[in-house]
Amino acid sequence: MRPTRLLMVAVVAAVAALFGVKASLVDKLIYVEKLNGENYKDFVNSVDHLAVVYFLKHSTSSMSNFFKEFEKSAAIMTIYETKFGIVNCQTNPGIGHCDDKSSEEQVYIYRNGHLTIKVSLHSMFSVDSIISNVLQVVLLYEALILQSIEEKDNFIAENRGFSDVVFSYQKALGTYDHRILMEAIFVYHHSYKFALSNEQKTVEDLPHYSSAELSGIWLFRCKSVTQQDQNCPVYKFRGPMERANLSKFFQALELPTLVHDLGKSNDSDLFRESEINVLYVFYDGNVENAAKDLIEEFSSNYIGLMGIVTVNVNAVDMTNYTLPKSHRLPLLAFQSGGTNDLVYIEDQDAPANFVEKMLNMTSSDGEPHSSNMTETPEDEYDLESEIEVQDDVVAKLVFELRDVTFARTHLPALTDKSFYSEVNERSLLIVLFYLDFDARNQIVVRLFAKAADVLAKDDQFPLATVECFDWTDVCGKANISIYPTIRIYRSNMEPVLYDGPLSVNSFVTAAKLHMMDNPVALSTTEEVLSFVEGDFPGEIKSHTNVAVVGAFRIEHMNYEKTFRMAAKELQGRYLCGIVKDNIAESICKTRGFKAPCIIASKRHDHLEPVAMVKLGTSVNELVGNIESAILPLLTELTSENFPVYFAMKKPLLILFTANTDSTYYHVISAMASEGTQHDVALLWMNISSPAGKLSPGEQILHHHVKEPNQEEILVINHATGQVHRFTESKISKESALMWLNKVTGGSIETTIRLSQEDWKPRVPAFDFLKMMDEDAVTRAEHETLNRQSERDEDFYDEESDEAFMMENEMRGNLEDEIQVELEQLKYSRLYQKSPKKLIHRPELASQSPNDSEDKVRSGVALGHTEL
């Protein structure tokens, strides 16, 4: 789990709040314009530039880094017709948003005098994050943010026959990769239609996609597609996400991919002039088809990275080429961009390896193409230079819910004084032991509170909590070492651990069942029937679909004792009833048995609503028999019941379908009813999905089968890692059973094998102890500086101002080089494709502020990731 930027900023701010930032740091800003009552309105209302404004209310040393990044960004963004300003609300109160409560936590962006968007300060902590976020607003209509596969497909369909489309996935917005992309869109948005998304699902179906990537770019060649039902050819940008490489990629797209037969065309000179890599394919008439196959492979896989030139050795003067002595045609040679030297392939049996190797050698950093687009190995991870990526969906949800309050009216928080008295006085108390600072614990507390509200409607209040960070002694004496932990306390009984699902319904069900005796004494036939139907005692059928009835005569004391003990073991999970003597004999007889017997009613199993449970000679054996009997013969596999089937250690036969009235479903149902499944659990998964969102069933199916049919049957054996796919063209009960016999008998070849990869964290963890040590050093340094400031404050001011001025005046650093590069590009032919300024948008100027803000919120704000 990685903490959010918000947490880190809060920690840094708390430490830095002890030390004041000198006003001179603001006064010495060069590119950021100081705004006051005289120039503020002209600045934000200008139609000549986008206005980025920060309202300063309180000066703390924690802001000094932001000012420096803000200043650097202001210098660079002049090329994009964007100006930065700052209002010192301490000296200019009442201007703009100075009086807004949270204005100091936002950066305000204005367009044509209208407030376009407010961006959280926590998302504007570096040059990359500031520039990428601002450019997203500058290019509001040129870089659409899409959130679903449906939106992406519609966008591509709209441009079919009109324009090529560039679609990018950015795992997090505000990163270096996001900035590079936005800069490229600024230059090339007149030539292509651009869209991006930070939703991984939008690119999972695209070629060469990898879940390890932090970013990716795909080109859809839609302009030449004229048929509406024809797919646009799609290619992936495979270079490192660097400005130079991306620029070369787009330049290469303007050039022909293939120059056929050198000497007949002068187009090959364009590759050299543009410093584009070139792959030469030498061939003759005997190997022309083999050469075409190579060309087709490389032109589709490496579009934008190199041009291809074919050379007919019988039609061209070969004195200019020195082919290897031992070679065969077709022969490959590689020419790096901007050079004249040819490197010939050595291993002609591995042409793809040769091309990959040569392209890797020509990348800007000498690393493989994926190096800048994938997650960095842990031993090379630089905490200070990488943007934190929230890879924990639970933590992300907690962050999104941070401002959503929830009531704990019916969920008391116990202390060291109230805990023991509550346990002793109550007949039932279900206690959640948790840590308030942990994301998963916070979610469980919310669910527990909702469950308490549901129970309170029936005047039942069995739930309570203990926060173990505050009450370590209570949790220590209770031997709590795992959080969250839920314990169930009942009068005169040892506490038991709740190990069921962490959901509102599950909490309510457990509480309801624990309030009842188990087993329930049933004295009449009517009570037995009502119990089986879930109408006795109370409306229990709304909480459980299972009822287990034990029927015993007086001579069956041993069986009855075992059943009663098993019922206690199942307390809170399943409701059991017990009936005796003549009624017991009658109940068993209706099922074709003699007493004693145990009957399991399964209201959720349409194939076998009633099952007979094998009698056990021990409590553990009987509990196992009951748990096995109450399982449906065929049920939908979900996240809640998967642990049950996984623990059985049986192969899982799973039908993937969207139709429970299909032939496939009826065949599997027949197999389940007849019990012919050969010790294999029969399950099905729903593969129907709402628009733009894959269901869990679809995701699992696509993981195992790349191009699945409308219905599929897989047998997955987690114990051996084997996966078998039913491949018959038609299905019947006989063909399915024959195939299953071959699978279980080991006479059929495995389709795929489950991966044996280690379950490692997706991103490196924070070393909190190291951070605490560094924080302590920083605190000591600040304290030393503070004491020096008290002795010689003038010296402190001079040193701070001088350091800041030196940083602004140095032109050898990376950001200055970037600015110079962009200024030079501004006057190149790349920027001369449109005579209009980007900021001049007639349709935007005529909009009301509300219209503009609504459009922005639907585009930028929804796509922005809070880090």
Side-chain angles (χ1 to χ4, degrees):
M1 169 182 161
R2 311 281 310 281
T4 62
R5 171 64 63 175
L6 178 63
L7 176 60
M8 292 199 65
V9 170
V11 173
V12 174
V15 175
L18 298 173
F19 318 101
V21 64
K22 303 305 174 182
S24 58
L25 292 180
V26 178
D27 296 337
K28 297 299 182 181
L29 294 173
I30 298 174
Y31 292 97
V32 178
E33 188 169 342
K34 272 73 72 178
L35 305 178
N36 51 45
E38 297 179 358
N39 61 357
Y40 171 77
K41 288 187 177 180
D42 291 339
F43 184 84
V44 298
N45 290 328
S46 174
V47 295
D48 295 325
H49 63 258
L50 198 77
V52 182
V53 181
Y54 178 68
F55 296 91
L56 175 65
K57 291 185 180 180
H58 303 95
S59 296
T60 62
S61 60
S62 62
M63 296 297 299
S64 60
N65 183 67
F66 168 72
F67 289 144
K68 294 177 182 179
E69 301 300 299
F70 204 59
E71 170 76 357
K72 292 178 184 178
S73 302
I76 295 172
M77 289 299 291
T78 56
I79 191 70
Y80 300 113
E81 297 164 343
T82 300
K83 292 187 178 181
F84 285 54
I86 186 169
V87 177
N88 190 337
C89 295
Q90 295 172 331
T91 57
N92 298 279
I95 294 180
H97 295 273
C98 279
D99 294 336
D100 291 1
K101 184 177 180 180
S102 60
S103 59
E104 62 183 339
E105 300 174 1
Q106 314 282 344
V107 174
Y108 292 72
I109 302 179
Y110 299 85
R111 194 171 193 169
N112 295 327
H114 302 317
L115 175 60
T116 303
I117 192 173
K118 296 181 289 185
V119 183
S120 171
L121 197 64
H122 305 124
S123 301
M124 306 281 273
F125 49 84
S126 67
V127 172
D128 293 332
S129 61
I130 294 173
I131 292 179
S132 60
N133 278 307
V134 174
L135 278 180
Q136 193 72 63
V137 179
V138 172
L139 301 167
L140 182 60
Y141 298 92
E142 289 79 16
L144 301 182
I145 294 182
L146 309 179
Q147 297 295 336
S148 67
I149 295 177
E150 183 182 22
E151 290 180 357
K152 179 197 69 178
D153 292 343
N154 289 340
F155 181 72
I156 294 170
E158 290 170 1
N159 288 284
R160 191 181 289 120
F162 298 98
S163 174
D164 291 339
V165 172
V166 177
F167 186 78
S168 176
Y169 164 67
Q170 299 289 325
K171 188 170 186 178
L173 304 185
T175 62
Y176 173 77
D177 287 5
H178 182 213
R179 170 187 171 180
I180 296 301
L181 172 70
M182 298 311 301
E183 291 176 347
I185 296 176
F186 181 82
V187 176
Y188 296 101
H189 71 274
H190 298 289
S191 302
Y192 305 92
K193 295 295 184 182
F194 287 88
L196 67 152
S197 177
N198 58 356
E199 292 290 340
Q200 199 171 30
K201 61 189 176 185
T202 59
V203 292
E204 289 177 340
D205 61 335
L206 298 183
H208 304 295
Y209 160 75
S210 171
S211 59
E213 290 182 334
L214 295 177
S215 61
I217 294 177
W218 284 264
L219 170 70
F220 292 81
R221 287 291 201 185
C222 296
K223 190 173 184 178
S224 58
V225 176
T226 56
Q227 301 297 325
Q228 287 299 313
D229 58 347
Q230 183 181 355
N231 292 328
C232 302
V234 56
Y235 310 96
K236 185 180 182 183
F237 166 63
R238 300 182 62 187
M241 187 68 88
E242 298 287 350
R243 184 177 293 102
N245 293 296
L246 202 54
S247 177
K248 281 188 177 182
F249 171 74
F250 283 108
Q251 290 181 48
L253 295 180
E254 302 294 328
L255 303 176
T257 303
L258 171 66
V259 176
H260 189 57
D261 285 349
L262 185 68
K264 295 183 180 180
S265 171
N266 294 324
D267 289 341
S268 59
D269 293 336
L270 295 176
F271 296 136
R272 187 177 295 104
E273 293 174 2
S274 302
E275 298 186 355
I276 303 297
N277 301 318
V278 183
L279 180 70
Y280 287 83
V281 181
F282 296 91
Y283 76 102
D284 61 18
N286 297 323
V287 296
E288 188 170 359
N289 289 333
K292 287 181 179 179
D293 292 340
L294 287 173
I295 293 168
E296 182 177 353
E297 175 185 354
F298 294 129
S299 62
S300 61
N301 289 335
Y302 299 96
I303 188 169
L305 292 180
M306 64 183 185
I308 300 177
V309 175
T310 64
V311 182
N312 188 336
V313 296
N314 296 326
V316 176
D317 182 6
M318 295 298 295
T319 57
N320 295 325
Y321 304 97
T322 308
L323 302 187
K325 293 183 179 180
S326 57
H327 71 272
R328 68 176 186 271
L329 299 178
L331 175 69
L332 301 182
F334 190 89
Q335 185 180 65
S336 298
T339 68
N340 295 319
D341 298 330
L342 290 182
V343 178
Y344 293 91
I345 187 173
E346 295 180 357
D347 184 2
Q348 291 195 248
D349 293 325
N353 292 344
F354 168 71
V355 174
E356 284 281 354
K357 177 182 177 181
M358 298 309 301
L359 287 172
N360 289 341
M361 292 176 61
T362 60
S363 64
S364 62
D365 53 3
E367 297 295 331
H369 289 314
S370 59
S371 62
N372 288 332
M373 301 179 70
T374 58
E375 299 180 9
T376 310
E378 184 169 359
D379 55 354
E380 299 176 6
Y381 194 78
D382 182 1
L383 190 63
E384 299 298 326
S385 63
E386 181 59 80
I387 296 296
E388 290 86 349
V389 175
Q390 183 52 273
D391 66 321
D392 190 323
V393 293
V394 178
K396 181 181 179 182
L397 177 61
V398 170
F399 181 76
E400 292 171 350
L401 294 174
R402 65 192 184 281
D403 296 326
V404 180
T405 59
F406 66 99
R408 293 191 46 156
T409 308
H410 307 112
L411 186 65
L414 305 182
T415 68
D416 58 345
K417 295 180 179 179
S418 58
F419 172 76
Y420 302 104
S421 60
E422 290 288 323
V423 169
N424 293 329
E425 294 172 5
R426 292 208 198 187
S427 59
L428 173 66
L429 184 65
I430 304 176
V431 181
L432 166 64
F433 298 89
Y434 73 103
L435 294 173
D436 190 50
F437 58 79
D438 177 71
R440 281 163 178 74
N441 285 255
Q442 292 176 42
I443 289 293
V444 174
V445 172
R446 286 177 177 265
L447 299 176
F448 219 58
K450 289 183 179 180
D453 291 341
V454 173
L455 292 166
K457 294 178 181 178
D458 295 329
D459 292 327
Q460 297 168 337
F461 308 94
L463 307 187
T465 65
V466 174
E467 207 288 307
C468 290
F469 187 80
D470 290 335
W471 306 108
T472 55
D473 52 343
V474 175
C475 299
K477 290 178 181 179
N479 197 27
I480 302 296
S481 58
I482 298 175
Y483 309 93
T485 291
I486 299 175
R487 284 255 182 95
I488 302 169
Y489 297 86
R490 301 191 70 188
S491 299
N492 303 319
M493 295 181 64
E494 289 294 320
V496 295
L497 177 69
Y498 173 81
D499 58 358
L502 301 177
S503 67
V504 175
N505 290 337
S506 298
F507 293 151
V508 172
T509 298
K512 290 282 187 180
L513 294 179
H514 273 289
M515 292 176 190
M516 300 177 182
D517 293 331
N518 207 28
V520 177
L522 306 173
S523 56
T524 66
T525 303
E526 289 73 18
E527 284 186 352
V528 174
L529 295 177
S530 183
F531 179 81
V532 170
E533 292 297 324
D535 297 325
F536 178 83
E539 291 291 326
I540 196 63
K541 64 183 177 184
S542 60
H543 301 291
T544 177
N545 291 314
V546 175
V548 181
V549 179
F552 308 97
R553 293 181 63 85
I554 191 169
E555 60 267 27
H556 306 140
M557 294 293 294
N558 289 336
Y559 286 114
E560 180 185 340
K561 181 180 178 180
T562 302
F563 180 77
R564 288 183 179 276
M565 295 175 66
K568 294 297 181 185
E569 288 289 324
L570 296 171
Q571 178 98 40
R573 296 164 56 196
Y574 306 111
L575 189 61
C576 299
I578 190 167
V579 62
K580 296 184 180 181
D581 301 330
N582 293 334
I583 299 177
E585 188 71 46
S586 174
I587 294 299
C588 293
K589 190 175 181 180
T590 57
R591 297 297 172 185
F593 289 89
K594 291 183 178 181
C597 71
I598 301 175
I599 302 171
S601 170
K602 304 180 289 181
R603 293 185 294 275
H604 60 313
D605 189 354
H606 67 281
L607 297 179
E608 188 186 44
V610 177
M612 299 304 298
V613 180
K614 294 180 180 179
L615 296 174
T617 57
S618 68
V619 175
N620 289 338
E621 180 185 0
L622 183 55
V623 168
N625 292 343
I626 292 174
E627 289 179 333
S628 177
I630 63 178
L631 289 177
L633 295 184
L634 175 63
T635 188
E636 182 179 5
L637 183 63
T638 65
S639 58
E640 289 196 357
N641 63 17
F642 172 75
V644 175
Y645 289 98
F646 183 78
M648 293 169 60
K649 298 183 179 179
K650 290 182 178 182
L652 308 181
L653 185 151
I654 306 176
L655 165 64
F656 295 88
T657 183
N659 181 12
T660 54
D661 194 32
S662 68
T663 302
Y664 273 73
Y665 187 86
H666 289 308
V667 165
I668 302 301
S669 295
M671 292 171 57
S673 299
E674 297 176 11
T676 54
Q677 60 267 33
H678 300 281
D679 203 31
V680 173
L682 299 185
L683 304 159
W684 70 278
M685 292 198 76
N686 190 358
I687 58 174
S688 62
S689 301
K693 185 177 182 180
L694 290 177
S695 67
E698 278 187 292
Q699 295 179 47
I700 294 173
L701 178 58
H702 282 278
H703 178 76
H704 294 306
V705 182
K706 297 304 179 185
E707 297 181 1
N709 299 316
Q710 289 186 344
E711 292 182 292
E712 292 280 356
I713 297 177
L714 300 180
V715 173
I716 303 176
N717 191 332
H718 290 94
T720 62
Q722 295 175 313
V723 178
H724 293 84
R725 179 187 183 190
F726 182 78
T727 56
E728 301 291 334
S729 58
K730 293 184 178 181
I731 188 172
S732 65
K733 186 178 69 174
E734 292 72 20
S735 64
L737 281 173
M738 185 179 299
W739 172 76
L740 186 57
N741 282 330
K742 293 179 181 179
V743 171
T744 56
S747 60
I748 189 172
E749 186 176 350
T750 301
T751 306
I752 61 171
R753 285 190 172 274
L754 300 177
S755 61
Q756 299 294 325
E757 300 175 3
D758 294 333
W759 286 68
K760 296 181 178 180
R762 293 169 58 189
V763 293
F766 277 88
D767 187 344
F768 284 105
L769 293 178
K770 180 181 178 182
M771 292 171 63
M772 291 171 65
D773 292 340
E774 292 175 348
D775 185 60
V777 172
T778 303
R779 183 189 294 271
E781 291 175 349
H782 277 298
E783 289 176 351
T784 301
L785 287 173
N786 205 30
R787 288 194 294 270
Q788 290 177 350
S789 177
E790 293 174 358
R791 294 194 302 268
D792 191 356
E793 187 166 345
D794 291 337
F795 173 77
Y796 180 87
D797 284 348
E798 182 179 347
E799 289 295 312
S800 300
D801 296 346
E802 182 179 353
F804 189 51
M805 287 296 294
M806 288 179 62
E807 182 172 5
N808 273 319
E809 293 173 359
M810 291 178 62
R811 313 311 277 174
N813 60 48
L814 176 62
E815 293 303 334
D816 291 328
E817 293 176 0
I818 293 174
Q819 183 185 359
V820 171
E821 177 184 345
L822 290 173
E823 288 175 348
Q824 292 173 347
L825 279 173
K826 182 177 182 180
Y827 301 104
S828 71
R829 61 183 178 87
L830 299 177
Y831 282 81
Q832 305 307 315
K833 297 182 179 180
S834 173
K836 295 183 179 180
K837 295 182 178 180
L838 285 177
I839 209 68
H840 286 167
R841 306 285 306 201
E843 69 275 22
L844 183 62
S846 62
Q847 292 173 353
S848 69
N850 292 334
D851 291 339
S852 175
E853 188 170 353
D854 288 342
K855 286 193 175 183
V856 173
R857 285 175 179 167
S858 65
V860 177
L862 290 178
H864 186 79
T865 298
E866 195 77 17
L867 297 178

